[in-house]
Amino acid sequence: MLIVKDNPKSPISESYRTLRTNIQFSSFDDNMSTILVTSSTPSEGKSTVSSNLALAMAETNKKVLLIDCDLRRPSIHKKFGLSNEKGLSNLLIGQHSFNEIAQEITSNLCVLTSGTIPPNPSEMLSSKKMELFLKEAEKNFDFIILDTPPVVSVTDAQALSTIVDGVLLVVSSGHAQIPEVHKAIELLQYVKANIIGIVANKVKSFRRGYKYYQYYYYGEGDGKNKKHRSKSSK
Ligand SMILES: Nc1ncnc2c1ncn2[C@@H]1O[C@H](COP(=O)(O)OP(=O)(O)O)[C@@H](O)[C@H]1O
Ligand SMILES: [Mg+2]
């Protein structure tokens, strides 16, 4: 279930819209069009947050591309009920073009699933080809959201964080341990990633009576850690 699509009036969907608004505000000065979503450990809700955030962004008449960059345990195709016969990995090896693999969800939201699971995900995601692809995609979309593997386990998210505008770190209550969250932040800061916020996920809300309630704390990305490549102006 994708709450923003299936229950758009719920308080959780509303909190995704608040997250969206804050990201849009944070791009007032800087162009914040490519956003990477990661977490320190598995199953904290990276794919859930990226999918719902993409849906919330697409509601505002912006063109949004959601990319499953978790080439190890992909799940975006499952969340949207899409085929994953071909996707990002097939594009990166030159087997298919963007138009052959992009799947349109609404007129504003396009999804790129992971594609065939490759033997060398880190290599693929940190390749020049990936960087060039992202740069090209930025010309056609207002927002691009990248769902990635956990940052403490593998280097994929760390590498990708250097070619995006901002990084959101999902921290799930009951999953993440404080030392792991610190480690994740350390790894991201080491490559000068621009951490724009922390999304607190699976936080219990007693007042509203929900077992799980999504809440977020928006951090203080200061824009100092800009991505290393130069951006094309749109
Ligand atoms: N806020 C939430 N409340 C309840 N279940 C959630 C929430 N966020 C994620 N989940 C569930 O937790 C599991 C892991 O979420 P997922 O987004 O796939 O994590 P990740 O991509 O970080 O591995 C999924 O079964 C998902 O439905
Ligand atoms: Mg995932």
Side-chain angles (χ1 to χ4, degrees):
M1 157 161 171
L2 288 170
I3 195 126
V4 173
K5 180 161 66 77
D6 300 327
N7 194 353
K9 295 211 168 106
S10 76
I12 303 175
S13 302
E14 211 38 61
S15 70
Y16 277 113
R17 292 187 192 102
T18 312
L19 177 61
R20 169 193 77 198
T21 307
N22 279 293
I23 292 170
Q24 286 169 341
F25 269 94
S26 79
S27 62
F28 182 70
D29 265 343
D30 297 314
N31 196 3
M32 189 64 65
S33 54
T34 46
I35 295 152
L36 180 146
V37 179
T38 192
S39 64
S40 53
T41 56
S43 301
E44 293 198 57
K46 295 174 291 299
S47 306
T48 306
V49 169
S50 3
S51 304
N52 283 296
L53 178 62
L55 284 162
M57 281 177 153
E59 285 178 351
T60 59
N61 230 9
K62 297 280 183 195
K63 281 196 85 62
V64 182
L65 175 66
L66 170 65
I67 312 177
D68 195 342
C69 297
D70 189 339
L71 303 183
R72 298 163 193 271
R73 289 172 65 184
S75 71
I76 295 292
H77 61 286
K78 291 184 204 148
K79 300 212 187 287
F80 283 88
L82 301 170
S83 146
N84 191 25
E85 232 174 273
K86 51 193 182 195
L88 178 65
S89 63
N90 309 89
L91 173 116
L92 293 175
I93 61 164
Q95 214 170 35
H96 289 285
S97 68
F98 178 83
N99 289 337
E100 286 168 341
I101 57 160
Q103 303 190 58
E104 208 171 274
I105 307 297
T106 65
S107 55
N108 285 332
L109 177 61
C110 225
V111 170
L112 272 197
T113 62
S114 69
T116 316
I117 294 183
N120 53 347
S122 305
E123 220 174 283
M124 272 195 163
L125 294 168
S126 58
S127 66
K128 194 78 200 159
K129 206 148 186 199
M130 179 69 198
E131 188 177 341
L132 290 175
F133 158 63
L134 206 56
K135 209 165 190 175
E136 195 54 36
E138 279 178 60
K139 292 181 190 158
N140 301 311
F141 292 90
D142 299 303
F143 286 106
I144 302 175
I145 298 176
L146 290 81
D147 182 28
T148 65
V151 71
V152 173
S153 338
V154 287
T155 57
D156 307 6
Q158 203 188 11
L160 284 172
S161 71
T162 65
I163 57 165
V164 296
D165 298 315
V167 174
L168 281 179
L169 187 68
V170 178
V171 176
S172 164
S173 87
H175 267 275
Q177 302 294 315
I178 290 170
E180 284 162 332
V181 177
H182 277 202
K183 181 80 192 158
I185 294 173
E186 203 179 286
L187 287 166
L188 291 167
Q189 284 178 336
Y190 183 71
V191 294
K192 299 192 164 41
N194 182 26
I195 304 171
I196 54 167
I198 305 272
V199 178
N201 193 25
K202 304 193 187 181
V203 177
K204 278 186 189 172
S205 166
F206 295 104
R207 254 191 324 150
R208 290 177 191 266
Y210 290 132
K211 189 174 170 218
Y212 287 118
Y213 186 68
Q214 192 118 23
Y215 188 72
Y216 76 93
Y217 165 71
Y218 200 67
E220 36 180 52
D222 55 10
K224 280 182 192 148
N225 296 332
K226 296 302 292 174
K227 63 187 168 189
H228 314 317
R229 67 191 169 85
S230 58
K231 289 197 64 179
S232 57
S233 55
K234 282 195 287 186

